[in-house]
Structure formats: structure tokens, C-alpha cells
Amino acid sequence: MKNKEHLAKKILKWNQRHLLSSTHITKADIAQCFAPSFIVKVNGREYKVDYERYLEFLTHFKSNIHSINYDVQEYICSSDRVVAVMNATIVRNDHSIDNFETMLLLKFDENDLITLWQEVYTKVGETQS
């Protein structure tokens, strides 16, 4: 098993490469980091998804994203999970900027693929550049 902090950094880099309006994403791209079926929990909402359903969600989610940047303050790791405490900045295609304070819990299977993406975030501001 790989170091879980390394895996968390890998998924954040994956997001920065793939979750942009200028990129094309496929089920194979998702399979690089995620188990064939997994759970997404975001601010109290829970979704059981597979590659097809997650691709539909991500295609819509990324439709107006120019860039994503993460400022991670801390990783807390165990044998099968990691928590990342961070600030995230999303720059939209219209140049608006969304800033978030986020806690992300990732749980991994024996193949180091994500089985749980649990995120709690608050939006801390919006500015125009």
C-alpha cells in the first residue's frame, strides 16, 4: 500500500488537471483514482456512484472552471484513510473566484482506490479579478 498522504496529493493534482472546462474527462480517467463504485458525501448529502454517474456529475461540475488550486495545511493519515485540511480556490471562466475552507476525508480500498470521498466545506468569499 502506498503512503496515504501521497495518494491524497495525487487526487488533488488529478483534480487540478482534469476538472477544468478546457479538458475532456473519461471513465478511464476516473478509474485512475476511484474504485468502480464509491460513496461521495458533501456537506451532509450522500451519493452512491459508479464511473458513469460520477462522470456525468464531473462533466457538469467542471463546465465553468478555469483553474483549481489547493493550499493544504495538514494531512492526517492512517492505514486506509487520510484527512486533508485545506483552502481551495476555484477560478471560473468569467474570472470570478470562489474560496473555500475544506476538510476532506478519503478512504481507500486494498488497491489504493478511493471508496469514500467525504467533504465538508464553507465558502469564504467571492471576488472579481
Side-chain angles (χ1 to χ4, degrees):
M1 291 175 99
K2 294 181 183 175
N3 174 291
K4 297 307 181 255
E5 182 176 327
H6 168 78
L7 294 173
K9 288 177 180 178
K10 176 183 169 186
I11 189 61
L12 295 178
K13 286 180 183 176
W14 185 95
N15 282 356
Q16 290 177 302
R17 278 193 319 270
H18 291 91
L19 300 186
L20 308 176
S21 62
S22 61
T23 62
H24 176 73
I25 190 171
T26 67
K27 289 186 274 186
D29 294 323
I30 296 168
Q32 293 174 10
C33 297
F34 291 87
S37 64
F38 55 99
I39 297 172
V40 175
K41 294 181 181 181
V42 179
N43 284 1
R45 296 178 310 271
E46 182 174 322
Y47 309 93
K48 293 180 181 168
V49 296
D50 56 19
Y51 297 149
E52 182 83 24
R53 291 181 66 196
Y54 202 50
L55 177 61
E56 289 174 22
F57 167 78
L58 291 179
T59 299
H60 175 73
F61 174 80
K62 72 184 196 74
S63 66
N64 69 345
I65 295 178
H66 176 72
S67 66
I68 301 174
N69 290 297
Y70 299 102
D71 177 19
V72 180
Q73 284 81 50
E74 185 172 6
Y75 293 98
I76 302 166
C77 305
S78 71
S79 62
D80 68 342
R81 63 195 74 201
V82 62
V83 174
V85 179
M86 63 187 156
N87 294 320
T89 302
I90 297 177
V91 178
R92 307 283 178 183
N93 289 337
D94 67 1
H95 305 290
S96 63
I97 300 171
D98 294 326
N99 294 296
F100 301 91
E101 291 179 346
T102 304
M103 291 187 78
L104 174 63
L105 167 65
L106 301 171
K107 186 174 180 183
F108 299 90
D109 66 11
E110 62 280 351
N111 297 313
D112 289 331
L113 296 174
I114 296 169
T115 59
L116 172 66
W117 175 288
Q118 184 169 355
E119 183 175 356
V120 178
Y121 67 86
T122 59
K123 190 172 179 181
V124 293
E126 183 174 313
T127 59
Q128 294 286 330
S129 62

